[in-house]
Amino acid sequence: MGEYVLEMNGITKIFPGVKALDNVSLKVRPGSVHALMGENGAGKSTLMKCLFGIYQEDAGEIILDGQTVKITSSKQALDLGISMIHQELHPIRYRPVMENIWLGRFPMRGIAVDKKAMIRETKKLFEEIDLNINPEVLAGTLSASNLQLVEIAKAVSYNSKIIIMDEPTSSLTDNETEHLFKIIRQLQSKGCAIIYISHKMEEILKIADEVTIMRDGQYVGTWPSTELTTDLIISRMVGRDLTNRFPQKDYTPGEEVVLRVKDLCSPLPKSFQHVNLELHRGEILGIGGLVGAQRTELVEAIFGLRAIASGTIEKDGKEIKIRKVADAKKNGIALLTEERRASGVFGILSVLDNTVIASQKDFARNGVLMQGKRYKAAKESNAQLNTKTPSMETLMQNLSGGNQQKVLFARWLLTHPDILILDEPTRGIDVGAKYEIYTIMQDLIHQGKSIIMISSEMPELLGMADRVMVMCEGRVTGVLDRKEADQISVMRLATKFVQ
Amino acid sequence: MDKQEKVIPRGKFAYTYIIFGIIVGIIGTLLQTAFYVKTLYDLPKLLWIVAAVFVIYGIVQIIKAPSIGTDVVLSPKSAKEFLTNNAIMLALMVLVIVIMFIEPRFMQIQVALDILTQSSVKLIVALGICFTLLIAGTDLSAGRMVGLAGVIAGSMLQTETYANRFFPGLPQLPLFVPILIAIVVCLLFGTLNGFLVAKYDMHPFIATLAVQVIVFGACSLYFDLPPNNSQPIGGIRPDYQALGQTKLFAFQIGTFRFDGISVLVPIAMVICAIIWFVLNKTVFGKNVYAIGGNREAAVVSGVNVFATIMGIFILAGGLYGIAGVLETARVAGAGNQYGNGYELDAIAACVVGGVSLNGGIGKIGGILSGVLIFTVIQYGLQFINVSPMWQQIIKGVIIAVAVAIDLSKYRRK
């Protein structure tokens, strides 16, 4: 075995109209954790998909253990000892966990699947990596973080030489991330190399041995992680120095309460209960908490997407009834959801249609659309937010995550809201675009709007919010002022009921 | 980049259409004047029509060039793309040319008009069904609703002197009354479809299957009422028949005779234009695309999903009703088995025309060509005496191949 277990040299991949990868190299040492970093759209996932046989490179070579290989399918990649944990999980929800793990390679007894062996093997696998999940429960009943851990177990079960982890911690809590790191160390000691993709700098610096940075489909360089700092990584990813990750705060929140939620309870006992909340005019109220703290459920209830058992919502001192989204819209409340792809964008529709969908009625007379007015409004709204799109007719799916998010902002601004609820507004958005989103948020505050922002990224929460409300297991555990809020105080409140 | 590539502004490229059209027109004129032989039948005139279509398309492209904005790229790759995008159309052209060689009589304007006439009712059904496909649903009750509307309208519009009248004592009603009743009944069943889908979140496949069975049962019960007792309905009133059989613009000059265009063609075209408008220019239409594109996102955007789905199935029901009324007028008869299987033909036509079963994708132009393709094939194959059994096989192969080609466009490696 040579110095490297894997060498990817001069990989180029061209999609219609875009050069997604341009002469990219990646060299991974056996038994090391190799972080792959870059903004969204830098080509990390594309490179990994080339390695995993989902795409075929147009030029370049892949050398595995000193042998040049041509990987044409995922099955071949697995056979060659490469496994991958995908960023988005696609479990078969109505089948047991174990079947999800052994799919395609069930243990057999004659012509029948050997269920007992499968249970045994799964238990053994879970024990190995210290995971406490019943192999026979349906995958759909697991939480997002448990599913992620199952997915990791599955990758481990292939006994691969190389495991690709694409954003494995995006739905994990800090404790679970620690658990994952333990598993990674264990794999490392067995000589397995890990290619680790993540946006979280702190994580990378902690776990990675080497870091390769990509930018706009090109190779920037590889450095040992000991030589890197967060700022260094960011400046190399962005290609410029980012002195400030957040815009300078240049406003003072008002005193007047625009939204007051009193004793709001969900009909589901495990969801949010007895929530009280006050939003002042011209402030950003952050909502912090762990995954599963029911923050999303709470704001979706305020927006009319979920049922409310009891409690009241007041806007500008008057009680309002919100039973459906139309009610929330009428009362000047807008929501940008957490899952941009699942419940935000219409990928196969144009930017124009995406922008005006929530305010169609303003651009129609007796149900007939006024094309000119519609086009003008969408164009202006997007120009204001600096959305980069070739034209208004471009399909939404061809925009980057950051630009899609801007279109969603444009969509909701056209409904003239007073209150914007942003659920993880910068998830999956690259560093440069994040800053732009923050600037947009501040501009909105300047226009006299108020913002509720759910964020699982601690720096974002502390950097942007004027006050931080923390939730744990469906209940509000505290509200912190900007001055008193820090990593430790928020974490303490977020884990109040967690043993 | 590629050396064999050539980029031409769209406005300029459009001139190729116009030039091509003019060449075709000249060939047509030469054939008509200098080289005319009788076995060419109406080929020159058909060429003129083709020429006109190309010229008009070219002009439209020039006018619209600024708003389309992109340039035309000529390269082996874009040529290949063109072939896959238009494979079905090209295959159809080859088929038509082959049929013309085997049977020159196919080259008659009358044949083209017959094809349009036969497509009309099918097109109306397909336009109804396309809405349900656009929200990733389907509608299996379409054919039975066509039959039901036909039976209802036919049963009340028989001549006074006909021996086996459905309602012997019924006075002669004004034409629009039974037609309206037939369409309203279909609207009601459409409402039932929509209610099951929208209210209970039932999959349209199963909801419309249930309604299909109910409609057929109801239609058969009605059809079996004494004194009719399930006998085919005949003796359709002439004024009602005229609705499906009138020929417009028929004339005769000397030996030249033009049989005219069936009234069904303009009716279908008007409905087609209305549906195009609804789909592209109204809030309702945009909401249909949105629900098909991403239902979750539509809910979050405050689209009234319930009302939209109800609207889709009610509108579809209305179109089936119109189709049924016209069908009975066209064939001058009705029975409970009429319309059976129309939904599958319509779905096939939509899918061949590029409507995605995953929802959100589909254009009226595509549906129109899908319907025409099937009629041309059916008519053409009959013309050269291919047995109906073989016709079925060919039809099936076309559906499979068309969809396979269509999907390969979206798959990228």
Side-chain angles (χ1 to χ4, degrees):
Chain A
M1 204 188 274
E3 192 184 352
Y4 299 110
V5 60
L6 169 76
E7 284 185 63
M8 296 178 84
N9 293 325
I11 303 289
T12 299
K13 173 75 194 171
I14 300 166
F15 290 127
V18 243
K19 214 168 196 181
L21 294 175
D22 185 6
N23 200 13
V24 176
S25 300
L26 179 71
K27 295 187 169 68
V28 181
R29 292 173 208 276
S32 73
V33 176
H34 195 114
L36 188 57
M37 301 201 71
E39 297 187 314
N40 274 40
K44 299 169 306 226
S45 294
T46 312
L47 184 68
M48 289 303 102
K49 282 178 178 167
C50 285
L51 178 58
F52 199 57
I54 298 170
Y55 295 150
Q56 259 91 68
E57 64 277 7
D58 295 316
E61 55 172 7
I62 299 176
I63 302 172
L64 199 65
D65 276 338
Q67 302 215 308
T68 308
V69 289
K70 185 102 189 118
I71 302 173
T72 54
S73 70
S74 302
K75 178 145 182 12
Q76 192 195 350
L78 289 168
D79 291 342
L80 286 169
I82 304 169
S83 59
M84 179 160 177
I85 302 168
H86 296 273
Q87 189 175 355
E88 272 151 51
L89 304 176
H90 301 287
I92 306 167
R93 298 196 166 272
Y94 294 100
R95 301 307 303 166
V97 168
M98 56 181 186
E99 286 187 21
N100 273 278
I101 289 181
W102 302 105
L103 191 67
R105 52 196 173 117
F106 288 139
M108 302 296 282
R109 177 188 263 165
I111 57 157
V113 173
D114 190 346
K115 192 176 166 194
K116 275 185 193 144
M118 188 149 59
I119 297 173
R120 200 172 56 236
E121 288 296 314
T122 314
K123 278 193 173 143
K124 209 172 95 193
L125 177 69
F126 283 173
E127 257 164 44
E128 229 173 275
I129 60 170
D130 201 14
L131 202 59
N132 187 21
I133 293 171
N134 179 357
E136 292 182 80
V137 301
L138 299 188
T141 61
L142 295 186
S143 66
S145 56
N146 271 340
L147 270 179
Q148 185 77 57
L149 293 169
V150 165
E151 199 67 21
I152 290 163
K154 181 177 175 181
V156 170
S157 72
Y158 283 99
N159 289 320
S160 306
K161 290 188 286 246
I162 300 169
I163 299 181
I164 307 163
M165 298 188 177
D166 195 353
E167 301 255 12
T169 58
S170 58
S171 60
L172 297 188
T173 63
D174 285 357
N175 277 336
E176 288 160 336
T177 303
E178 277 306 318
H179 186 174
L180 170 67
F181 285 180
K182 239 188 265 166
I183 298 171
I184 291 178
R185 297 283 177 226
Q186 210 177 326
L187 291 167
Q188 251 187 309
S189 64
K190 286 190 204 156
C192 175
I194 314 273
I195 301 175
Y196 192 95
I197 300 179
S198 174
H199 282 292
K200 299 183 182 168
M201 309 289 166
E202 293 81 7
E203 255 176 52
I204 296 285
L205 293 172
K206 197 164 162 192
I207 191 79
D209 301 309
E210 283 185 305
V211 179
T212 290
I213 295 179
M214 294 174 65
R215 180 169 68 230
D216 300 331
Q218 287 175 327
Y219 175 76
V220 176
T222 302
W223 295 271
S225 65
T226 46
E227 290 176 14
L228 291 170
T229 63
T230 303
D231 288 345
L232 223 51
I233 295 177
I234 291 178
S235 69
R236 283 176 182 157
M237 270 167 49
V238 185
R240 65 191 146 89
D241 282 316
L242 264 190
T243 39
N244 274 317
R245 285 163 72 183
F246 304 100
Q248 208 49 247
K249 195 181 153 192
D250 55 357
Y251 62 92
T252 339
E255 289 298 313
E256 187 192 344
V257 176
V258 279
L259 185 77
R260 178 176 280 126
V261 171
K262 276 191 202 154
D263 204 30
L264 205 65
C265 295
S266 162
L268 306 170
K270 284 200 171 168
S271 194
F272 60 88
Q273 296 298 338
H274 306 290
V275 170
N276 289 293
L277 174 157
E278 274 182 8
L279 177 68
H280 299 236
R281 185 173 303 284
E283 80 161 349
I284 299 176
L285 173 69
I287 305 184
L290 302 176
V291 173
Q294 306 295 318
R295 296 171 296 169
T296 298
E297 288 75 2
L298 170 67
V299 294
E300 286 184 353
I302 294 175
F303 191 61
L305 284 168
R306 283 172 194 271
I308 296 169
S310 65
T312 58
I313 301 173
E314 284 174 21
K315 191 176 168 243
D316 299 325
K318 275 194 277 300
E319 186 174 338
I320 53 173
K321 285 264 174 274
I322 296 177
R323 288 198 194 81
K324 52 185 194 289
V325 174
D327 299 336
K329 266 205 305 204
K330 206 169 57 206
N331 282 299
I333 301 175
L335 170 70
L336 271 75
T337 53
E338 174 184 16
E339 299 284 340
R340 198 166 47 243
R341 203 173 306 171
S343 57
V345 303
F346 301 93
I348 54 177
L349 300 187
S350 68
V351 171
L352 173 62
D353 285 342
N354 266 283
T355 310
V356 294
I357 183 75
S359 51
Q360 299 256 47
K361 289 198 179 118
D362 295 349
F363 307 111
R365 196 181 291 133
N366 302 325
V368 178
L369 295 167
M370 293 178 279
Q371 299 294 342
K373 220 173 154 190
R374 198 164 160 263
Y375 183 83
K376 193 163 156 265
K379 184 129 190 149
E380 280 172 5
S381 190
N382 276 305
Q384 202 188 336
L385 297 169
N386 204 9
T387 311
K388 287 185 203 80
T389 168
S391 83
M392 293 312 274
E393 298 303 326
T394 306
L395 295 191
M396 190 72 162
Q397 63 198 11
N398 296 336
L399 299 192
S400 70
N403 281 315
Q404 288 185 353
Q405 185 74 319
K406 286 187 206 164
V407 172
L408 295 186
F409 266 102
R411 174 191 297 172
W412 285 107
L413 289 182
L414 284 177
T415 66
H416 309 295
D418 303 320
I419 298 164
L420 280 107
I421 305 174
L422 312 175
D423 196 350
E424 306 283 2
T426 64
R427 168 171 290 180
I429 289 177
D430 56 55
V431 182
K434 270 187 184 178
Y435 191 86
E436 282 188 79
I437 298 287
Y438 298 143
T439 324
I440 291 171
M441 287 168 63
Q442 265 200 5
D443 285 347
L444 295 175
I445 296 290
H446 282 301
Q447 292 166 24
K449 303 188 191 302
S450 315
I451 292 176
I452 296 176
M453 175 187 74
I454 296 183
S455 178
S456 297
E457 279 183 50
M458 197 67 90
E460 178 173 282
L461 200 59
L462 301 176
M464 287 305 295
D466 297 305
R467 290 185 304 137
V468 179
M469 178 176 112
V470 187
M471 289 179 70
C472 177
E473 305 204 332
R475 274 158 292 174
V476 176
T477 47
V479 181
L480 301 167
D481 252 0
R482 191 179 189 132
K483 283 181 224 88
E484 49 185 1
D486 58 29
Q487 211 121 343
I488 297 165
S489 57
V490 171
M491 245 4 245
R492 195 172 291 142
L493 290 172
T495 53
K496 198 169 178 182
F497 305 123
V498 182
Q499 31 320 55
Chain B
M1 290 299 256
D2 222 314
K3 276 202 184 110
Q4 294 157 305
E5 218 172 83
K6 217 168 139 193
V7 181
I8 304 174
R10 189 166 290 274
K12 258 190 185 158
F13 186 71
Y15 286 106
T16 26
Y17 291 114
I18 297 181
I19 294 166
F20 183 74
I22 291 171
I23 293 172
V24 172
I26 291 171
I27 295 174
T29 315
L30 286 178
L31 287 179
Q32 176 73 6
T33 52
F35 305 101
Y36 191 74
V37 280
K38 201 162 172 277
T39 46
L40 282 178
Y41 289 94
D42 292 334
L43 183 62
K45 294 182 195 92
L46 291 170
L47 286 178
W48 285 338
I49 295 171
V50 172
V53 168
F54 269 98
V55 171
I56 292 169
Y57 185 74
I59 293 170
V60 169
Q61 285 275 304
I62 290 174
I63 295 168
K64 277 176 72 181
S67 68
I68 300 174
T70 50
D71 290 340
V72 178
V73 181
L74 292 182
S75 68
K77 207 175 156 194
S78 66
K80 202 178 144 199
E81 246 166 55
F82 175 81
L83 287 181
T84 37
N85 284 351
N86 299 290
I88 283 298
M89 274 308 200
L90 295 171
L92 183 71
M93 271 172 60
V94 172
L95 183 72
V96 167
I97 292 170
V98 169
I99 293 172
M100 283 174 169
F101 270 104
I102 297 175
E103 184 53 88
R105 278 193 302 121
F106 197 67
M107 296 181 279
Q108 291 180 83
I109 288 187
Q110 200 49 54
V111 170
L113 289 175
D114 277 352
I115 287 170
L116 287 181
T117 310
Q118 288 195 9
S119 301
S120 301
V121 173
K122 291 182 193 171
L123 177 64
I124 297 171
V125 178
L127 289 172
I129 254 178
C130 85
F131 281 89
T132 67
L133 296 179
L134 278 173
I135 56 162
T138 186
D139 191 346
L140 298 179
S141 62
R144 292 304 185 188
M145 280 207 223
V146 169
L148 177 66
V151 167
I152 292 175
S155 67
M156 297 183 204
L157 287 168
Q158 289 168 308
T159 47
E160 227 162 343
T161 51
Y162 187 63
N164 291 324
R165 286 190 75 191
F166 197 94
F167 297 113
L170 193 74
Q172 294 298 70
L173 296 166
L175 191 56
F176 71 90
V177 174
I179 290 177
L180 217 57
I181 293 172
I183 293 174
V184 167
V185 170
C186 285
L187 286 172
L188 290 176
F189 277 113
T191 313
L192 178 59
N193 270 331
F195 187 73
L196 292 176
V197 174
K199 176 79 182 176
Y200 299 105
D201 229 352
M202 238 186 243
H203 193 284
F205 186 95
I206 209 67
T208 59
L209 177 64
V211 173
Q212 178 206 59
V213 176
I214 293 171
V215 169
F216 180 56
C219 182
S220 299
L221 274 178
Y222 180 76
F223 194 55
D224 198 35
L225 286 179
N228 193 58
N229 297 327
S230 294
Q231 293 187 57
I233 296 172
I236 302 296
R237 263 162 54 181
D239 57 339
Y240 179 33
Q241 283 189 28
L243 206 54
Q245 296 176 353
T246 306
K247 303 274 186 181
L248 304 171
F249 311 117
F251 61 84
Q252 186 158 16
I253 305 171
T255 52
F256 183 77
R257 208 176 114 225
F258 180 62
D259 284 340
I261 300 168
S262 164
V263 68
L264 290 174
V265 177
I267 292 177
M269 272 159 67
V270 168
I271 291 176
C272 198
I274 293 172
I275 297 299
W276 177 86
F277 183 84
V278 168
L279 214 41
N280 292 289
K281 301 287 171 192
T282 65
V283 174
F284 172 72
K286 290 288 173 189
N287 287 349
V288 172
Y289 278 116
I291 292 173
N294 185 344
R295 192 187 159 121
E296 277 297 300
V299 173
V300 173
S301 301
V303 169
N304 193 335
V305 175
F306 181 86
T308 308
I309 292 179
M310 287 298 284
I312 285 170
F313 281 98
I314 293 171
L315 178 65
L319 288 170
Y320 308 147
I322 294 172
V325 167
L326 294 176
E327 182 78 346
T328 296
R330 185 174 75 88
V331 301
N336 63 343
Q337 288 295 347
Y338 281 49
N340 186 18
Y342 276 27
E343 63 275 358
L344 298 180
D345 284 345
I347 292 169
C350 285
V351 169
V352 167
V355 178
S356 163
L357 287 181
N358 293 326
I361 301 176
K363 292 202 174 86
I364 294 295
I367 296 162
L368 182 59
S369 53
V371 172
L372 284 175
I373 284 169
F374 276 109
T375 325
V376 169
I377 289 164
Q378 197 181 340
Y379 197 92
L381 294 178
Q382 268 171 23
F383 218 87
I384 53 173
N385 290 325
V386 173
S387 90
M389 298 155 216
W390 274 107
Q391 285 180 31
Q392 290 288 321
I393 291 175
I394 293 170
K395 214 161 128 185
V397 169
I398 285 168
I399 296 172
V401 172
V403 176
I405 292 172
D406 198 44
L407 289 177
S408 70
K409 275 189 273 183
Y410 302 108
R411 201 182 305 129
R412 59 174 186 192
K413 262 270 176 181

